[in-house]
Amino acid sequence: MTPPTRAAGRSDAAARFAVAEEFAETAAALYDVSTATAQYPDVYVTNAVHCGIAAADAICIVTLGEYSASGNHGEAVQLLKRAHPAASTSLQRLLAIKTKAGYSPTPASAADVQTALRAHEAILQAARASMAGS
């Protein structure tokens, strides 16, 4: 059975990309480059994750004309893998720390923040390239 997707066009991609940029800007406001730390690690990681999800949608829409309509993020990773394999790896990394940052009593670690930083910046860069090339 094929995971559910939703057809979408250029304006949808632009809207999802704008949301990804907003989450990235919010995450950046929490990150101190001089100390390589985040003021609120859980909030930083959560914003990075949502940036990655929105960026993944934009990439899929531009490349495939559809995005994941499933509540299962694993299915979104598989769809993104068809559109941009490297970006799917970044999304997978973000999703691996999503639950810890968003729902666990254990706070996101400094390593989680660095993972989120690298992964959301990589997928956002892929989305920028996809949007520029469309």
Side-chain angles (χ1 to χ4, degrees):
M1 185 167 127
T2 304
T5 61
R6 185 165 292 129
R10 177 77 174 126
S11 64
D12 300 307
R16 292 302 289 151
F17 180 70
V19 169
E21 290 277 19
E22 290 171 3
F23 279 120
E25 288 175 22
T26 302
L30 300 171
Y31 189 76
D32 183 344
V33 176
S34 66
T35 61
T37 60
Q39 183 176 4
Y40 301 107
D42 287 332
V43 176
Y44 176 86
V45 170
T46 300
N47 276 280
V49 170
H50 286 287
C51 168
I53 293 167
D57 288 347
I59 293 167
C60 288
I61 293 167
V62 167
T63 307
L64 305 172
E66 62 185 351
Y67 66 101
S68 178
S70 167
N72 180 337
H73 290 305
E75 292 173 356
V77 170
Q78 292 307 309
L79 184 65
L80 182 58
K81 191 178 285 187
R82 288 182 26 219
H84 197 296
S88 73
T89 300
S90 295
L91 181 59
Q92 206 163 22
R93 287 187 180 121
L94 288 167
L95 294 173
I97 56 178
K98 178 182 185 284
T99 299
K100 180 179 182 184
Y103 306 105
S104 171
T106 305
S109 67
D112 295 330
V113 168
Q114 291 307 306
T115 295
L117 173 70
R118 288 187 300 274
H120 96 269
E121 286 182 347
I123 196 168
L124 189 58
Q125 186 59 35
R128 285 183 183 127
S130 291
M131 294 300 294
S134 67

